[in-house]
Amino acid sequence: MQTILTGVRVNEEPTLGNFLGAYLPMIRLAAEHGADSHINMFIPDLHSFTTPIDHSKLYRQVINGIKYYIAAGLDATAPNVHIYRQSRVPAHSELCWILDCFTSFGEASRMTQFKEKSSDSNNTFVSVGLFNYPVLMAADILLYDAYHIPLGEDQFQHLELARNVAIRFNHKFQQDVFTVPASEAEQIKFMHLENGLRIRSLTEPQKKMSKSNPNDKSKINLNDRPEEASKKIMSATTDSVGTIRFDMINQPGISNLLQIEALINNRPLQDVISDWAGQTSYGDLKRKVADSVAHFLADFQERLADIDDATVEQILAQDETYANEVANRKLHQVQRIVGLRKA
Ligand code: TRP
């Protein structure tokens, strides 16, 4: 049985972009493949403070992060769906250390995300954890023999590192210890994202909608009041072309609105594009999308409020037992191979 695995970081308030680009695709994959694959959706909470955060909020954010999965429609009670915290499965940290010794300083230094974050002037403390981030991520994946890893574009380089480390390790010890995850091209096909899904910033639509963007108007947060979100859509940056068309290069703002409208209503993008083809009122389109977003948020927030902490804790207790079993089996195998345990 194959494993589909992904982790979503929770130390910032998730945006509509995260919801449409990460949560929703994963939940659809879970519905599509849950009968014959394990669906591991975990919270990489040890990754949360590779850059400085407010630690007094972290515990709450993790519990809320799990509620977000469930409110988004993940059936957490399905037998093959596993929700767990990275920090509660110590094998992640232990395998990370072992893999550190099979990862070269050079390849870790080439990671774009590390280069960007370590040179960001807002980041006043560049930790070894930030440097080591992709190796822990490799451990997250390889412990479970996961093959499909739904990810955002900015994470593909980390996936490539996980593949390279797995291949190197298997080759060195002449055994198929780790399943080598699918290539980037295969992952994209699996996620049905050949057309490149990326929800854009509302104020600078050439860029992606980012939860770390300090300009609150650039993003819809999942905890925005519906009226507030609706205002943000109404003031979204568009263009001066004057006709509604899907054209990410020349009309990224309008295209972004069409994309949001399609995804939120679970309609094929082509249908939404045809509905609006040739129309000229950007105001009408914005009102329609604003309305869709406001309805969606009201609904989502109601579902979220209905999930109590006890439900989450019960799911975690069960699934973390499972995750520890699977992960420890792999860790022990690795420990035998590298000589830490009797062969
Ligand atoms: N680095 C991922 C992100 O920021 C989160 C993550 C951590 C992850 N470990 C993972 C995703 C393992 C997939 C698999 O989006």
Side-chain angles (χ1 to χ4, degrees):
M1 196 144 115
Q2 279 200 352
T3 297
I4 306 173
L5 174 148
T6 200
V8 179
R9 292 219 281 164
V10 293
N11 46 309
E12 280 151 316
E13 192 52 41
T15 66
L16 185 66
N18 299 121
F19 179 87
L20 298 176
Y23 287 61
L24 217 51
M26 185 65 188
I27 285 157
R28 293 212 178 117
L29 289 177
E32 200 178 326
H33 301 279
D36 54 9
S37 306
H38 287 289
I39 312 290
N40 291 19
M41 280 188 81
F42 75 103
I43 305 278
D45 51 353
L46 292 171
H47 276 118
S48 294
F49 43 98
T50 49
T51 52
I53 59 157
D54 179 350
H55 290 266
S56 68
K57 293 195 181 141
L58 182 58
Y59 188 82
R60 198 63 247 159
Q61 285 167 330
V62 171
I63 299 295
N64 286 345
I66 294 161
K67 290 187 182 181
Y68 281 128
Y69 285 161
I70 299 169
L74 182 70
D75 179 5
T77 58
N80 291 343
V81 171
H82 313 292
I83 303 181
Y84 51 94
R85 290 164 289 190
Q86 181 188 44
S87 66
R88 300 309 171 96
V89 187
H92 290 236
S93 311
E94 297 194 24
L95 183 64
C96 174
W97 177 262
I98 294 175
L99 296 182
D100 272 335
C101 302
F102 295 91
T103 305
S104 77
F105 185 79
E107 74 185 323
S109 308
R110 281 194 294 278
M111 294 293 115
T112 310
Q113 190 175 75
F114 173 72
K115 287 196 270 188
E116 279 174 9
K117 290 200 176 178
S118 59
S119 60
D120 179 351
S121 54
N122 295 321
N123 185 9
T124 51
F125 187 82
V126 179
S127 68
V128 175
L130 183 65
F131 186 67
N132 208 13
Y133 183 116
V135 186
L136 178 57
M137 186 165 157
D140 297 338
I141 295 169
L142 301 180
L143 273 177
Y144 300 88
D145 286 316
Y147 186 69
H148 287 120
I149 329 287
L151 279 176
E153 281 171 319
D154 61 334
Q155 297 296 314
F156 282 129
Q157 199 188 19
H158 293 162
L159 176 69
E160 200 52 36
L161 182 131
R163 283 165 48 85
N164 289 336
V165 173
I167 291 168
R168 182 176 305 135
F169 194 96
N170 288 351
H171 184 256
K172 178 171 171 76
F173 295 99
Q174 291 293 302
Q175 293 180 47
D176 284 330
V177 185
F178 296 123
T179 297
V180 179
S183 68
E184 172 178 339
E186 227 180 306
Q187 304 283 0
I188 290 175
K189 210 161 136 217
F190 182 73
M191 289 187 276
H192 312 299
L193 291 184
E194 292 94 331
N195 303 324
L197 168 80
R198 200 151 56 137
I199 301 302
R200 308 302 183 97
S201 153
L202 298 176
T203 49
E204 295 166 280
Q206 17 353 308
K207 297 187 185 160
K208 78 165 189 176
M209 183 182 286
S210 165
K211 49 188 165 189
S212 51
N213 189 328
N215 178 2
D216 199 53
K217 285 206 166 75
S218 73
K219 56 192 174 183
I220 306 281
N221 304 308
L222 292 179
N223 65 356
D224 279 350
R225 279 181 297 110
E227 324 76 82
E228 193 185 339
S230 167
K231 279 195 203 126
K232 290 182 187 175
I233 297 283
M234 292 309 293
S235 64
T237 301
T238 52
D239 55 66
S240 54
V241 174
T243 309
I244 297 174
R245 273 187 320 195
F246 189 83
D247 176 348
M248 269 298 180
I249 310 287
N250 299 304
Q251 297 184 253
I254 289 294
S255 306
N256 193 35
L257 293 177
L258 291 167
Q259 180 109 70
I260 292 173
E261 175 68 9
L263 286 166
I264 276 196
N265 295 305
N266 195 14
R267 293 184 62 204
L269 177 61
Q270 268 319 319
D271 291 5
V272 174
I273 294 173
S274 323
D275 285 356
W276 291 91
Q279 297 200 44
T280 52
S281 170
Y282 288 5
D284 285 353
L285 175 63
K286 282 182 169 179
R287 262 184 295 279
K288 178 72 177 64
V289 179
D291 201 49
S292 296
V293 168
H295 269 101
F296 159 77
L297 282 180
D299 233 47
F300 180 78
Q301 289 165 6
E302 200 179 297
R303 268 178 284 148
L304 196 62
D306 279 345
I307 307 164
D308 57 15
D309 286 9
T311 308
V312 173
E313 272 150 26
Q314 205 183 339
I315 292 167
L316 288 174
Q318 237 181 37
D319 287 351
E320 285 169 357
T321 303
Y322 164 85
N324 273 295
E325 275 167 23
V326 175
N328 283 335
R329 220 178 298 139
K330 181 63 73 179
L331 178 67
H332 289 184
Q333 185 192 358
V334 170
Q335 287 172 331
R336 280 194 295 277
I337 288 167
V338 300
L340 295 170
R341 257 177 214 278
K342 198 162 150 212

